[in-house]
């Protein structure tokens, strides 16, 4: 099998992990499946020779792991951790940047890194929505077919949740 087909298989597993993640009832279980999704996405992008996306997925894995312990940190440590991950995101991006299209996952990853650290659920969902649109564009450019499907699915799901919560007045 060539790398392209193997990459698509990893993308399919990432898609399935992503679907399983949003079905979870607890934040910790969601994070575990999101970590699994990022592992398979990282391998997929590595096989597609999109190293910047691979590195950003690995950084996302580390961020998700730390985020799972977020409630145990005080306010100042949370700010320090956010600054650390934003700085790491920028450093990884500068080191692995190779063409103009690499700006797409750089911006998407930086945006989601910042927004998931917020306490406003609407801001988090809006940031994730914009990020998924950008990752979908990058997946299209990269020919990461199952990542395209995953991003479309997550865009639709996020829009559904935003409108459902808006309708029930859950955003204040």
């Amino acid at each position: 099998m060539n790398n392209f087909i193997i990459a698509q298989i990893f993308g399919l597993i990432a898609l399935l992990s992503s679907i399983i993640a949003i079905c979870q009832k607890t934040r910790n279980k969601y994070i575990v499946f999101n970590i699994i999704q990022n592992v398979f996405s990282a391998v997929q992008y590595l096989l597609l020779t999109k190293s910047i996306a691979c590195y950003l997925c690995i950084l996302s894995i580390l961020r998700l792991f730390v985020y799972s312990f977020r409630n145990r940190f005080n306010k100042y440590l949370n700010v320090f951790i956010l600054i650390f991950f934003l700085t790491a995101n920028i450093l990884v991006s500068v080191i692995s940047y190779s063409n103009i299209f690499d700006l797409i996952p750089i911006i998407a990853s930086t945006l989601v890194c910042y927004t998931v650290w917020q306490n406003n659920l609407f801001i988090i969902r809006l940031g994730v929505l914009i990020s998924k649109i950008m990752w979908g564009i990058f997946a299209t450019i990269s020919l990461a077919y199952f990542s395209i499907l995953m991003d479309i699915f997550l865009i639709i799901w996020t829009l559904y949740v935003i409108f459902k919560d808006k309708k029930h007045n859950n955003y204040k």
Side-chain angles (χ1 to χ4, degrees):
M1 267 197 232
N2 65 19
N3 284 351
F4 182 77
I5 294 171
I6 297 170
Q8 301 310 318
I9 293 168
F10 277 92
L12 174 62
I13 298 169
L15 168 64
L16 296 174
S17 299
S18 185
I19 292 169
I20 293 169
I22 62 167
C23 294
Q24 299 308 303
K25 302 291 184 205
T26 66
R27 182 176 75 162
N28 285 342
K29 287 181 182 179
Y30 171 81
I31 289 172
V32 167
F33 282 100
N34 210 319
I35 288 171
I36 293 167
Q37 176 265 312
N38 274 284
V39 167
F40 285 102
S41 291
V43 174
Q44 175 191 30
Y45 282 116
L46 179 67
L47 292 168
L48 292 172
T49 66
K50 302 297 180 190
S51 58
I52 194 158
C54 175
Y55 298 146
L56 291 171
C57 286
I58 292 169
L59 189 58
S60 183
I61 292 165
L62 296 172
R63 188 179 66 244
L64 283 162
F65 180 75
V66 171
Y67 185 78
S68 67
F69 297 104
R70 181 173 182 229
N71 291 342
R72 297 180 188 170
F73 306 139
N74 67 35
K75 179 180 176 181
Y76 299 108
L77 186 54
N78 268 320
V79 171
F80 173 78
I81 292 169
L82 171 61
I83 291 169
F84 170 81
F85 279 112
L86 288 171
T87 304
N89 207 66
I90 292 167
L91 288 174
V92 165
S93 300
V94 168
I95 292 168
S96 56
Y97 178 85
S98 65
N99 63 54
I100 192 78
F101 298 117
D102 287 351
L103 290 175
I104 299 169
I106 292 168
I107 294 167
S109 181
T110 304
L111 175 66
V112 83
C113 180
Y114 176 75
T115 57
V116 298
W117 235 263
Q118 305 309 306
N119 289 324
N120 185 318
L121 194 54
F122 179 74
I123 297 296
I124 293 170
R125 289 189 174 139
L126 189 60
V128 168
L129 177 65
I130 294 167
S131 173
K132 285 295 152 192
I133 291 169
M134 295 178 82
W135 273 107
I137 293 167
F138 186 76
T140 302
I141 293 166
S142 304
L143 304 177
Y145 297 121
F146 287 104
S147 284
I148 298 167
L149 292 175
M150 176 175 58
D151 293 324
I152 290 170
F153 173 77
L154 290 172
I155 290 166
I156 293 168
W157 179 261
T158 304
L159 284 171
Y160 165 75
V161 172
I162 286 172
F163 288 119
K164 182 184 85 164
D165 284 352
K166 263 296 200 216
K167 181 180 173 185
H168 296 337
N169 234 1
N170 290 343
Y171 299 125
K172 298 184 174 130

